[in-house]
């Protein structure tokens, strides 16, 4: 019997990387690898990286440096870099950090077994192509293990929007949708393995336009097909662009019971002048009217957004317009970032906002969204929600799950098992989660 080799994967960035890391672990499973939770006893370390903001890449280099001791002790240890930093930096990673044996871009994960074999022969392995074959098809032969009740499923990758600040169109490439039948069979397989909730992933997920049995399906069309799968109880999707929010998708929020009342819809800024410079091709007003229509379809929907502060040439008045928009929308969640210069993107060449000014604006914006988040969570007290239980809590009989609105909910003496969905009355609101009782 051969002893399994150990694989340690560290994942940075977005949910798509979480999904990709699972696929990479499965691909290397075929090469005799099992996952381990620590780099210390690993035979291969893979960093699945994110390039969306500057510090992420720097973190990768400093993380790599820390593996020197491990590699000195065990020269057989292989170190690989995957994800968007791998795509963007390519060979440069091996030049800057000679410890690295393998560099693989997001479109080439199905080639990992060959690349791994190459490193075992003592060679360096690099693949950052955008190959013609469908990586998902090659990756799908995975072991049929039981899965956690909430899973991600990538339906679309890449982006053609070219927002002036963003590297995604360069690192993930042009927008590509997977054919619907492949997504549906993957979804059925997940459900067979215990999954009750699927979050459809894509950098521009609502631009989905995959081939279906009778022509292309929109994202709403795909959601209605998923709706038919028995045992699948909840559907979510992320991340959407305001300009791709089709009428059928808005309507589905009111009519599809499995579609959860939560929508992540980034606007980035509330100033039309900045939105134009960001190449967002929507205005603050058109975004607000869109949210009105979504709320007309599903009045209790919780809205979530992304914001960038300190974009080049942002004035105090522009920033104030963003705060005004946030006040008007009233978000349930929001993610905010200080603008980070990405070489090669159009905004990198423009006059930058002073860093202290941007930091101070970010603080003000975060104070506002923290207040909104807090009051959206507190407003759940006294309400009945449905909870999908994901894991046991710290106390005997306690379970932790997610509500339809994506809040974490703790339930004492739940009498439930992982994977159960139950009606829960919310009794209190804590720092980062709710507590409730089964009804
Ligand atoms: N600087 C800061 N934030 C960025 N984002 C994308 N690119 C940048 C950048 N250069 C943010 C956007 C996007 C989220 C995933 O990351 O808000 O929606
Ligand atoms: Fe980047 Fe999103 Fe803009 Fe595409 S739509 S360029 S992924 S911020």
């Amino acid at each position: 019997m051969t002893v399994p080799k150990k694989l340690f994967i560290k994942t940075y960035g977005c949910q798509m990387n979480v999904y990709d890391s699972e696929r990479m672990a499965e691909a290397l499973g075929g090469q005799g690898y099992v996952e381990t939770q620590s780099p210390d006893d690993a035979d291969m370390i893979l960093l699945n990286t994110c390039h969306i903001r500057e510090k992420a890449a720097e973190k990768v280099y400093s993380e790599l440096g820390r593996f020197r001791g491990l590699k000195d002790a065990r020269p057989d240890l292989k170190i690989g870099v995957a994800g968007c930093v791998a795509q963007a930096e390519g060979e440069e990673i091996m030049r800057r950090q000679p410890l690295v044996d393998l560099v693989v871009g997001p479109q080439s994960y199905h080639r990992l077994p060959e690349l791994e074999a190459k490193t075992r022969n003592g060679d360096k392995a690099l693949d950052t192509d955008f190959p013609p074959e469908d990586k998902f098809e090659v990756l799908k032969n995975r072991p049929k293990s039981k899965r956690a009740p909430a899973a991600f499923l990538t339906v679309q990758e890449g982006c053609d929007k070219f927002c002036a600040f963003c590297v995604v169109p360069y690192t993930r490439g042009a927008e590509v949708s997977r054919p619907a039948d492949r997504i549906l069979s993957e979804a059925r397989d997940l459900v067979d393995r215990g999954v009750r909730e699927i979050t459809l992933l894509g950098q521009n997920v609502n631009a989905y336009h995959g081939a279906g049995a009778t022509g292309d399906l929109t994202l709403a069309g795909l959601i209605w097909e998923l709706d038919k799968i028995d045992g699948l109880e909840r559907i979510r999707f992320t991340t959407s662009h305001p300009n791709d929010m089709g009428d059928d998708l808005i309507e589905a929020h009111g009519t599809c019971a499995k579609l959860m009342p939560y929508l992540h819809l980034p606007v980035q800024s509330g100033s039309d002048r900045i939105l134009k410079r960001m190449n967002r091709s929507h205005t603050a007003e058109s975004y607000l009217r869109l949210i009105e229509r979504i709320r007309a379809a599903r009045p209790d929907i919780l809205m979530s957004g992304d914001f960038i502060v300190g974009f080049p040439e942002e004035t105090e008045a522009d920033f104030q317009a963003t705060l005004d928009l946030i006040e008007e929308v009233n978000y349930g969640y929001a993610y905010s970032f200080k603008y980070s210069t990405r070489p090669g993107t159009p905004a990198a060449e423009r006059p930058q906002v002073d860093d202290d000014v941007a930091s101070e604006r970010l603080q003000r914006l975060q104070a506002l969204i923290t207040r909104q988040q807090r009051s959206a969570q507190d407003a759940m007290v006294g309400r009945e929600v449905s909870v999908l239980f994901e894991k046991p809590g710290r106390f005997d009989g306690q379970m932790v799950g997610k509500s339809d609105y994506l809040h974490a909910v703790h339930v004492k003496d739940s009498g439930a098992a992982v994977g159960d969905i139950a009606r829960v009355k919310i009794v209190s609101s804590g720092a980062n989660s709710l507590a409730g009782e089964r009804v």
Side-chain angles (χ1 to χ4, degrees):
M1 206 185 86
T2 52
V3 185
K5 288 173 280 185
K6 290 194 179 149
L7 171 68
F8 174 72
I9 304 187
K10 181 158 180 178
T11 308
Y12 299 82
C14 66
Q15 290 147 332
M16 193 169 292
N17 271 7
V18 175
Y19 177 89
D20 285 344
S21 289
E22 287 173 7
R23 302 290 83 73
M24 288 194 274
E26 285 164 359
L28 288 170
Q31 305 298 106
Y33 280 90
V34 293
E35 269 195 270
T36 171
Q37 298 311 309
S38 153
D40 298 335
D41 63 346
D43 298 285
M44 172 171 277
I45 296 173
L46 263 185
L47 299 184
N48 191 7
T49 61
C50 171
H51 201 236
I52 197 95
R53 283 169 293 274
E54 206 176 343
K55 292 216 178 76
E58 288 314 307
K59 260 193 251 161
V60 170
Y61 281 112
S62 69
E63 183 85 38
L64 285 168
R66 267 182 264 146
F67 296 139
R68 177 175 309 282
L70 286 177
K71 185 119 176 173
D72 285 346
R74 278 181 301 120
D76 266 357
L77 168 67
K78 302 299 174 196
I79 297 178
V81 181
C84 292
V85 174
Q87 188 65 41
E89 306 260 298
E91 251 177 302
E92 174 63 20
I93 297 178
M94 291 169 172
R95 260 198 295 276
R96 193 162 150 189
Q97 183 46 272
L99 289 176
V100 174
D101 302 286
L102 183 156
V103 172
V104 59
Q107 303 309 323
S108 306
Y109 293 154
H110 54 299
R111 293 177 172 172
L112 260 177
E114 294 159 49
L115 297 168
E116 189 271 346
K118 213 171 154 189
T119 67
R120 291 288 153 208
N121 289 333
D123 296 326
K124 300 258 180 195
L126 170 86
D127 193 339
T128 51
D129 289 349
F130 284 82
E133 70 267 18
D134 181 349
K135 68 170 175 179
F136 296 107
E137 273 307 283
V138 185
L139 285 172
K140 79 177 176 194
N141 296 323
R142 56 183 176 276
K144 303 276 172 205
S145 54
K146 184 113 176 104
R147 292 285 304 257
F152 296 126
L153 202 176
T154 295
V155 303
Q156 174 284 330
E157 270 191 286
C159 182
D160 297 331
K161 295 278 190 296
F162 290 93
C163 297
F165 50 81
C166 186
V167 289
V168 166
Y170 311 96
T171 57
R172 290 277 172 164
E175 199 280 309
V176 180
S177 293
R178 296 177 66 194
D181 58 344
R182 308 223 177 117
I183 295 165
L184 293 169
S185 72
E186 193 169 329
R188 280 186 217 103
D189 176 62
L190 287 171
V191 170
D192 288 345
R193 292 156 70 195
V195 168
R196 316 285 309 273
E197 170 179 312
I198 291 180
T199 301
L200 306 174
L201 296 182
Q203 271 93 22
N204 211 325
V205 73
N206 58 343
Y208 178 81
H209 57 98
T214 54
D216 274 9
L217 283 182
T218 61
L219 185 65
L222 181 67
I223 288 169
W224 283 113
E225 289 300 314
L226 288 160
D227 182 71
K228 294 180 195 158
I229 299 178
D230 278 341
L232 177 61
E233 306 296 343
R234 293 173 151 197
I235 303 167
R236 307 179 187 276
F237 59 89
T238 195
T239 295
S240 297
H241 191 285
N243 291 4
D244 293 314
M245 215 51 220
D247 292 344
D248 57 349
L249 188 55
I250 295 174
E251 200 187 308
H253 277 285
T255 50
C256 180
K258 291 185 183 179
L259 191 54
M260 293 291 101
Y262 174 97
L263 179 64
H264 184 59
L265 196 61
V267 63
Q268 314 296 356
S269 167
S271 153
D272 287 343
R273 202 178 72 90
I274 293 298
L275 286 169
K276 203 169 171 120
R277 283 171 161 72
M278 286 179 163
N279 192 30
R280 290 287 297 181
S281 51
H282 60 75
T283 62
E285 185 61 23
S286 69
Y287 178 82
L288 291 170
R289 297 292 80 80
L290 176 61
I291 289 187
E292 261 172 23
R293 290 173 54 220
I294 295 163
R295 282 183 168 150
R298 181 79 202 230
D300 61 338
I301 201 161
L302 220 62
M303 292 303 307
S304 149
D306 286 344
F307 298 91
I308 295 178
V309 302
F311 186 77
E313 301 171 83
E314 182 188 74
T315 64
E316 179 59 27
D318 294 318
F319 176 65
Q320 188 57 49
T322 302
L323 296 180
D324 293 345
L325 178 138
I326 294 173
E327 290 282 8
E328 191 157 344
V329 172
N330 194 13
Y331 286 92
Y333 298 84
Y335 305 87
S336 51
F337 314 97
K338 194 159 71 169
Y339 170 72
S340 161
T341 311
R342 311 313 291 123
T345 60
E349 312 299 323
R350 306 195 192 141
Q352 308 288 311
V353 169
D354 181 84
D355 192 56
D356 291 342
V357 172
S359 298
E360 188 271 336
R361 285 180 191 161
L362 183 65
Q363 265 184 23
R364 274 191 281 157
L365 187 145
Q366 286 183 339
L368 173 60
I369 58 183
T370 304
R371 270 205 305 282
Q372 292 191 347
Q373 226 159 279
R374 183 80 250 160
S375 68
Q377 193 189 298
D378 292 349
M380 291 290 159
V381 177
R383 284 180 62 178
E384 235 182 82
V385 296
S386 96
V387 175
L388 168 60
F389 293 107
E390 295 185 1
K391 58 180 185 210
R394 264 193 297 149
F395 307 107
D396 230 20
Q398 189 194 41
M399 291 286 274
V400 191
K402 292 271 168 60
S403 79
D404 7 20
Y405 304 95
L406 214 55
H407 288 121
V409 182
H410 289 74
V411 180
K412 261 193 292 188
D413 306 319
S414 67
V418 167
D420 286 353
I421 295 178
R423 299 294 298 170
V424 168
K425 182 159 184 193
I426 302 301
V427 294
S428 66
S429 173
N432 296 306
S433 66
L434 295 164
E437 289 162 0
R438 284 196 60 175
V439 290

